[in-house]
Amino acid sequence: MSAPSRPTRPSPPSPPWHADLYGDALRTGRGPLFLRRTDGWLLPLEVERWCARADAADLTVLRRCAGPVLDIGCGPGRMVAALARRGSPALGIDTSPEAVARTRRRGVDALCRSVFDTLPGEGRWGSALLLDGNIGIGGDPGALLVRVAELLTPQGSLLVEAAQADVEERIEVRLDDGSGGRGPVFPWARLGAGALRELAAAQGWAVGAQWTVRDRSFLALHREA
């Protein structure tokens, strides 16, 4: 698919997922790796799960995908690979060169690009994925939902994973390997299912389904007519 012509616009700064800490974790396929909030609170990142094959919870998301699928923040590509095995056309995007390289080594397509950059097939994707906390990209979930609406067809769906906790926060974090290695500070956000439902409604999205598998919570969103 080729992108339609559109004016060039600046994109917000991307999180430093190209930093060595994240790239090193993906190269080895394991952590520990954390997001560290400025007050010292740590959120463990599930590197091993991301580098494995799609699991049972992931498959409940894939079954709800229709049309070509855009995996936003694809990481090492487990979802794009699983979609390919199901015969579904899919593309992963990620700002981490190592994530994109690892995705391509699975034999599937990925681009080293931010969701806010110009992308192939804008307005023609049937489904988009925001899993593994990626609703937090850029620290402004509202702006992210607006951008995803531009990428999907009018009937397209967004499959998004909410935080396990009942939380709504826009924060600054850095990558931390638990052994003294830390990356630069960048904006992030965390939304539990309730906060995500409220924000989605305010942005013109309707909730088609909500479900929980293995302590992971998901919502299927579509644009209201």
Side-chain angles (χ1 to χ4, degrees), residues 51-154:
C51 290
R53 288 169 65 100
D55 63 17
D58 295 327
L59 294 179
T60 67
V61 174
L62 297 179
R63 286 196 289 270
R64 289 172 167 84
C65 290
V69 183
L70 181 66
D71 187 1
I72 300 166
C74 66
R78 76 184 190 283
M79 300 299 283
V80 183
L83 284 161
R85 289 193 295 271
R86 297 168 66 90
S88 300
L91 173 69
I93 60 168
D94 204 290
T95 59
S96 163
E98 180 59 34
V100 170
R102 183 153 181 158
T103 298
R104 289 174 176 170
R105 287 197 293 271
R106 293 179 185 258
V108 292
D109 293 332
L111 294 176
C112 192
R113 225 172 273 186
S114 165
V115 64
F116 295 102
D117 293 337
T118 299
L119 295 173
E122 296 202 12
R124 297 197 293 275
W125 293 99
S127 303
L129 306 181
L130 281 172
L131 304 182
D132 306 321
N134 284 334
I135 187 63
I137 288 172
D140 187 345
L144 183 56
L145 289 177
V146 169
R147 175 59 177 144
V148 173
E150 296 174 347
L151 299 172
L152 293 171
T153 68

Side-chain angles (χ1 to χ4, degrees), residues 11-218:
S11 60
S14 299
W17 296 110
H18 59 279
D20 287 344
L21 292 178
Y22 184 58
D24 289 346
L26 293 188
R27 278 187 286 273
T28 62
R30 62 180 184 274
L33 191 65
F34 306 89
L35 289 182
R36 175 182 284 273
R37 207 162 54 191
T38 52
D39 63 2
W41 176 88
L42 293 174
L43 175 69
L45 299 179
E46 299 182 79
V47 177
E48 291 86 350
R49 180 172 65 79
W50 299 347
C51 290
R53 288 169 65 100
D55 63 17
D58 295 327
L59 294 179
T60 67
V61 174
L62 297 179
R63 286 196 289 270
R64 289 172 167 84
C65 290
V69 183
L70 181 66
D71 187 1
I72 300 166
C74 66
R78 76 184 190 283
M79 300 299 283
V80 183
L83 284 161
R85 289 193 295 271
R86 297 168 66 90
S88 300
L91 173 69
I93 60 168
D94 204 290
T95 59
S96 163
E98 180 59 34
V100 170
R102 183 153 181 158
T103 298
R104 289 174 176 170
R105 287 197 293 271
R106 293 179 185 258
V108 292
D109 293 332
L111 294 176
C112 192
R113 225 172 273 186
S114 165
V115 64
F116 295 102
D117 293 337
T118 299
L119 295 173
E122 296 202 12
R124 297 197 293 275
W125 293 99
S127 303
L129 306 181
L130 281 172
L131 304 182
D132 306 321
N134 284 334
I135 187 63
I137 288 172
D140 187 345
L144 183 56
L145 289 177
V146 169
R147 175 59 177 144
V148 173
E150 296 174 347
L151 299 172
L152 293 171
T153 68
Q155 297 77 34
S157 62
L158 170 60
L159 291 306
V160 56
E161 184 170 354
Q164 295 178 18
D166 184 15
V167 64
E168 180 177 7
E169 60 180 8
R170 290 152 180 82
I171 52 179
E172 289 191 333
V173 296
R174 66 173 76 228
L175 291 171
D176 188 313
D177 66 3
S179 302
R182 297 183 185 179
V185 172
F186 60 93
W188 198 249
R190 297 175 67 231
L191 295 180
L196 182 53
R197 290 179 70 101
E198 290 182 9
L199 178 62
Q203 295 285 349
W205 295 85
V207 178
Q210 180 176 338
W211 69 101
T212 300
V213 181
R214 295 184 177 179
D215 297 323
R216 296 173 61 197
S217 296
F218 305 96

